[in-house]
Amino acid sequence: GGTTLHDFLSLCLNLTVAAEVGIKEGHDQDQELTQVIIDERKYINVDTTTEEGIERAARLGFLDIHENVDIVISPLIIPAATNLFSDTKKGVMFSLLRHPVERAISLFYYLQRATWEPTYTEQLVNMTLMEYIQSDFMESNWMVRFLVGKPEGFIDEHELEAAKQILREKCWIGLQSNLADSIGR
């Protein structure tokens, strides 16, 4: 999902991307923001997928190099919007949505083998899909939590409506099942 879009944007469209790849090869130690070439792709030397990376980008003047960035990829909407954009340097949010059941199944099989992920646990390796669904590892209302910035606790009707409003009013939406048409929009 995300990897496919990431590759398409950086390799096929030749866009300059701000994402976690930008800090590879020691670029997390750079003292100023600049474009770097990694795996024949253009990146800004920041990690926009963690709060620490977003704070570093803001501290090093991300808004000052804003015109050199084509795409910011981040799962952290609120910190990214607050620290990497302003009233005069705006972004457009877009999301490729996936059916939640398909996403949960894909995530389960991915996490079983993704030893490099911070959320990896050996407990998933021999677990069945049904055991995963019934476990505490299974995500609950991921998209709603993501949109309203509420990683834990009970999600009520108010938060659901707020998430739907964010999608309606602030987001270009595509469907992962129709990737080519969604990107073409």
Side-chain angles (χ1 to χ4, degrees), residues 17-28 30 36 38 43-47:
V17 178
E20 74 281 2
V21 179
I23 62 167
K24 280 185 168 182
E25 301 175 2
H27 290 293
D28 59 329
D30 294 349
V36 295
I38 300 172
Y43 294 96
I44 299 299
N45 56 338
V46 296
D47 178 0

Side-chain angles (χ1 to χ4, degrees), residues 33-53:
L33 298 182
T34 188
Q35 184 186 92
V36 295
I37 306 295
I38 300 172
D39 297 329
E40 300 179 28
R41 297 170 178 137
K42 299 183 296 186
Y43 294 96
I44 299 299
N45 56 338
V46 296
D47 178 0
T48 55
T49 65
T50 67
E51 290 200 38
E52 297 80 22

